[in-house]
Amino acid sequence: MILITGAGGFLGRSVTRQLSDQAIPLPGRHQYDLRLPSAMHDALADHRMVTTVIHLAYPGTNGIGTMITTPADLVQQMLQIDLNVIHACARMRVERLVRTNRSCWPR
C-alpha cells in the first residue's frame, strides 16, 4: 500500500485520485501533526501494510502566501517534517519514500 502525506493539499488530492485503489490518504494534521517526531511513526504503525510513502505534506495553510509572509519559519517547519518522515520511514522499514520539492523562495 501507498501512504500519502499531504493528501488533502493541491498536489496530494491529484496523486490520491490517480492512485485511489492503492493509496491510503493520511488524514490532516488534526490526527497526525507531522511536525511532531512521533506522528509519522504513529501513522505507519496504524497502517502496517504500507510499502511506499509519497511525502507531499506542506505545513502552510495559505499556499504561497505563507511563503511570502513567513518564509524562514515555513522552511524550518518543512525541514522538520521531512526529517520526521525520513526517520520514521527508516525505523519502520518502508521500502520506498518519494518526496517532492514543494518550496519556492519569494521573488
Side-chain angles (χ1 to χ4, degrees):
M1 290 303 278
I2 301 168
L3 186 134
I4 302 172
T5 68
F10 177 74
L11 184 56
R13 284 191 306 269
S14 178
V15 171
T16 300
R17 252 191 323 273
Q18 294 295 317
L19 301 172
S20 61
D21 60 334
Q22 321 168 49
I24 301 169
L26 188 64
R29 72 179 71 156
H30 335 336
Q31 186 170 351
Y32 299 106
D33 185 348
L34 297 180
R35 294 172 294 182
L36 303 175
S38 63
M40 188 65 187
H41 184 273
D42 294 346
L44 290 170
D46 290 347
H47 301 93
R48 293 215 177 257
M49 301 301 291
V50 171
T51 58
T52 301
V53 171
I54 299 177
H55 175 40
L56 305 172
Y58 179 82
T61 56
N62 188 22
I64 194 67
T66 307
M67 181 57 78
I68 292 169
T69 58
T70 56
D73 291 340
L74 184 64
V75 169
Q76 182 179 1
Q77 288 182 48
M78 283 192 295
L79 292 172
Q80 184 61 57
I81 289 171
D82 288 349
L83 288 173
N84 293 342
V85 169
I86 291 165
H87 287 300
C89 287
R91 278 193 309 269
M92 299 296 284
R93 301 190 186 277
V94 171
E95 293 175 24
R96 278 178 234 99
L97 170 60
V98 178
R99 180 200 169 276
T100 63
N101 184 2
R102 41 204 200 288
S103 66
C104 60
W105 202 256
R107 287 192 190 184

